[in-house]
Amino acid sequence: MANDKPRALITGLTGQDGSYLAELLLEQGYDVYGVVRRSSTETYDRINHFKEKISFVQADLTDQVSMIDAIDEVRPSEVYNLAAQSFVPTSWKQPILTGDVTALGATRVLESIRVVDKKIKFYQASSSEMFGKVQEVPQTETTSFYPRSPYGVAKAYAHWITVNYRESYDMFACSGILFNHESPRRGLEFVTRKVTDGVARIKLGVAKELRLGNLDAQRDWGYALDYVRAMWLMLQQDTADDYVISSSEMHTVREMCEIAFARVDLDMNDHVVVDERFYRPAEVQELLGDCSKAKKNLGWEPKVSFKALIEMMVDADMDRVKAEIRT
Ligand code: NAP
Ligand code: GDD
């Protein structure tokens, strides 16, 4: 009997969002395939607990033929392009690589779909970092982009090439303009996770201080698991479109630290040291999204509040650091 389950291919499977999206799609009854790139060590920490339920395809966003082969082999009904060099400070140190993976990588995936089967639906992981030096507050789908990092510039290119393939080839190609989203699976270099990991280490006596950069930067932070649901919903609509996905609340890095330290009865002022090494050549000072369109058209809204999110991350890091200390 033919397998009539929907089939999804995810690039960036091993990242924060890829891991949550894969779990969501499995729950929805999909056959899930994930692109992984060759590495001397496996980076499967986020997917180890369900990896026998998914299939792996080896490819790299910098290699066109490997992407065509992956899509031809899997023949998915939906492709989610989540792979990227996604850490903003690295994009100043490696701007060419960032452009190759984060910008041209999206074109390579779109080209692969165009060549193999134009009916495959496509999701692009666009970013609020494209708004950069914001041109209006709050930001919507029609707010002009003013990116402030090589990463933001690369994402703006990837965003517009997605729109262009939709309009040029009548492909079902969507961009989700996602504002910052976090979880216990967030990479340790991003500020929320750096703080929650640092708080756990200080509380458990294995660190004394936490060195951070700009505490006045403001972000619109949400929970990653809520945000991957929006990605899936975008590809279930009758027409392809672009959507802002945000919590529509803005908080400073300082407020985020206060919540994290208070969770374990500590005062951030006793432990946080501002270190100019973490300042950026050009900063994005404030991001605030307006996700009314997603609420109206997708019926989407975030479920986890900012405070609950940061507390969940502190609790998870307390458990992890305690286990590390025991071993
Ligand atoms: P992440 O944790 O940094 O994951 C990035 C993924 O991309 C990893 O699986 C990585 O694989 C993969 N990758 C990197 N270079 C690759 C290449 N050349 N070929 C194939 N795969 C490659 O990122 P995330 O937080 O899950 O974010 C997912 C996507 O959403 C990214 O495109 C990011 O830019 C975008 N985004 C994120 C946010 C956010 O707040 N999280 C907001 C807006 C947009 P390895 O494991 O092998 O390194
Ligand atoms: N990483 C980091 N480390 N950021 C710090 C620190 C620090 O020690 N101290 C202050 N910050 C400030 C940064 O200057 C920035 O203004 C803010 O905290 C958030 O930084 P990140 O958590 O690194 O995230 P980001 O906003 O630069 O980028 C993330 O969100 C984008 C969506 O807006 C990434 O996930 C991108 O991939 C994503 O597109």
Side-chain angles (χ1 to χ4, degrees):
M1 202 173 69
N3 177 359
D4 56 4
K5 285 167 101 177
R7 190 175 294 180
L9 179 73
I10 303 173
T11 75
L13 170 77
T14 52
Q16 170 188 258
D17 290 6
S19 67
Y20 283 119
L21 179 66
E23 285 182 287
L24 175 92
L25 295 177
L26 286 169
E27 275 166 31
Q28 300 288 342
Y30 281 70
D31 276 337
V32 177
Y33 291 75
V35 168
V36 287
R37 51 183 176 157
R38 196 267 157 186
S39 161
S40 66
T41 48
E42 279 193 355
T43 51
Y44 292 175
D45 292 1
R46 297 183 176 103
I47 57 171
N48 262 332
H49 58 290
F50 64 95
K51 82 173 189 281
E52 68 292 345
K53 295 188 186 145
I54 48 183
S55 308
F56 297 96
V57 191
Q58 200 176 94
D60 194 298
L61 245 63
T62 58
D63 187 301
Q64 179 71 70
V65 174
S66 74
M67 284 312 308
I68 293 175
D69 285 350
I71 289 173
D72 194 28
E73 184 188 321
V74 175
R75 294 281 172 159
S77 40
E78 298 172 9
V79 171
Y80 295 84
N81 182 36
L82 309 187
Q85 189 305 94
S86 74
F87 190 46
V88 172
T90 297
S91 76
W92 277 284
K93 294 207 182 299
Q94 300 180 3
I96 310 293
L97 174 98
T98 302
D100 200 0
V101 179
T102 305
L104 282 179
T107 312
R108 292 191 189 97
V109 181
L110 284 161
E111 271 294 89
S112 306
I113 293 175
R114 187 182 69 77
V115 168
V116 172
D117 177 2
K118 280 195 296 185
K119 290 198 187 61
I120 297 170
K121 293 180 175 181
F122 174 78
Y123 173 84
Q124 168 58 23
S126 284
S127 165
S128 51
E129 183 73 12
M130 301 185 302
F131 296 121
K133 190 171 174 183
V134 295
Q135 300 297 292
E136 61 179 343
V137 181
Q139 295 88 51
T140 72
E141 293 78 6
T142 56
T143 303
S144 305
F145 299 150
Y146 192 141
R148 295 271 280 169
S149 61
Y151 167 82
V153 174
K155 280 288 181 187
Y157 168 89
H159 181 87
W160 281 113
I161 200 74
T162 302
V163 173
N164 182 260
Y165 271 57
R166 180 166 75 217
E167 293 177 354
S168 303
Y169 303 116
D170 200 21
M171 283 166 51
F172 195 107
C174 302
S175 278
I177 307 175
L178 270 53
F179 282 63
N180 299 49
H181 46 280
E182 321 292 313
S183 74
R185 296 186 198 169
R186 187 55 143 154
L188 281 164
E189 68 274 44
F190 298 93
V191 75
T192 51
R193 188 71 200 293
K194 182 173 171 183
V195 168
T196 61
D197 172 73
V199 162
R201 287 182 187 284
I202 292 167
K203 181 69 182 174
L204 295 168
V206 288
K208 284 204 161 48
E209 62 174 29
L210 177 61
R211 303 186 86 82
L212 295 172
N214 179 7
L215 301 181
D216 297 320
Q218 300 184 82
R219 287 291 181 278
D220 175 330
W221 278 293
Y223 179 36
L225 188 53
D226 283 342
Y227 285 40
V228 298
R229 193 161 32 84
M231 298 175 185
W232 174 72
L233 283 170
M234 282 178 221
L235 295 201
Q236 311 316 308
Q237 304 306 302
D238 292 335
T239 45
D241 208 341
D242 306 321
Y243 293 93
V244 160
I245 300 297
S246 64
S247 77
S248 307
E249 271 181 40
M250 192 160 62
H251 300 274
T252 59
V253 171
R254 187 186 316 278
E255 284 171 66
M256 186 265 294
C257 290
E258 280 165 1
I259 293 172
F261 278 91
R263 180 67 173 172
V264 292
D265 303 316
L266 293 175
D267 182 342
M268 68 171 280
N269 298 310
D270 296 333
H271 302 283
V272 171
V273 178
V274 172
D275 184 335
E276 291 190 2
R277 282 181 304 152
F278 296 108
Y279 286 176
R280 299 177 178 186
E283 176 64 287
V284 172
Q285 278 300 352
E286 53 171 341
L287 288 175
L288 178 64
D290 173 352
C291 64
S292 313
K293 182 175 165 183
K295 281 188 176 162
K296 182 163 171 279
N297 296 6
L298 306 178
W300 177 87
E301 53 188 333
K303 293 182 180 157
V304 174
S305 73
F306 174 61
K307 183 163 180 280
L309 168 66
I310 299 305
E311 292 183 347
M312 172 206 308
M313 292 173 68
V314 171
D315 294 351
D317 276 322
M318 284 293 287
D319 290 344
R320 188 182 50 86
V321 176
K322 270 182 207 159
E324 261 176 40
I325 292 169
R326 274 199 300 270
T327 53

